[in-house]
Amino acid sequence: MIKYKRANYAGVITIVQTKRYSLWIMPAGDVYDRLKDIILRLSLKYSTPRFEPHITLIGGLSGSEEEILSRISRLTASLRPFTVKLTKTEYLDEYYRCLFLRAKETDDLLNAYALAGKIFDNLQEEKYMPHLSLMYGDFPAKIKEEIAMEIGNLDIAFEVNSIHVIMTGDNPELWQRIKEFPFKEKK
């Protein structure tokens, strides 16, 4: 467990955050900037947490950081660069999938997920739904529908050539990048 101290107008608040890790696929360059801007604008308008644009490959990993980093090396040694295509803006009645862009379920993306699940002994019973969240929160469907219509379908694609290890927890604004692991070059 990690403790963070945050000052507020009445003094200091101690925030206790359980230390967990996630494996993320992240866009880079202009795509990263464009998505980060959308997340920031929504965060400011609706008072929601800010976070980096990402697709979670696997979340909620516990254990030592050293063990996580060792296993991720095995994963990225087996993966080759691939493209992720973001399509439709959707929403669910879930905090972390409040508003998101659906990622096309390609063989490369689903194979990366399956291999990560196997290496980390974290195969999920529920079907993997690759997506890139734009907003976290609890909002009525009508508001989410209006936002989704305003954003539209962005039809964005980006190259994936690395996996990021992120220390996560209960507060998205305290999530931290630990290390990026590039895929091995094609021979």
Side-chain angles (χ1 to χ4, degrees), residues 30-53 89 99 101 133-136 139 143 146-152 154 156 173:
D30 292 340
V31 173
Y32 176 91
D33 293 340
R34 183 175 174 195
L35 294 168
K36 179 87 172 166
D37 181 59
I38 292 169
I39 293 166
L40 178 61
R41 280 189 292 115
L42 292 171
S43 170
L44 292 171
K45 185 172 181 177
Y46 294 97
S47 299
T48 57
R50 296 175 191 169
F51 52 89
E52 292 189 90
T89 304
L99 186 74
L101 294 171
S133 290
L134 298 174
M135 187 168 82
Y136 297 151
F139 293 89
I143 290 174
E146 289 170 4
I147 299 167
M149 288 183 64
E150 180 183 314
I151 292 171
L154 298 180
I156 295 174
E173 294 192 2

Side-chain angles (χ1 to χ4, degrees), residues 91-110:
Y91 59 89
L92 291 173
D93 192 21
E94 299 176 22
Y95 183 86
Y96 288 108
R97 291 193 275 194
C98 176
L99 186 74
F100 58 89
L101 294 171
R102 177 80 71 152
K104 187 173 181 184
E105 295 181 15
T106 62
D107 288 343
D108 288 329
L109 180 54
L110 296 177

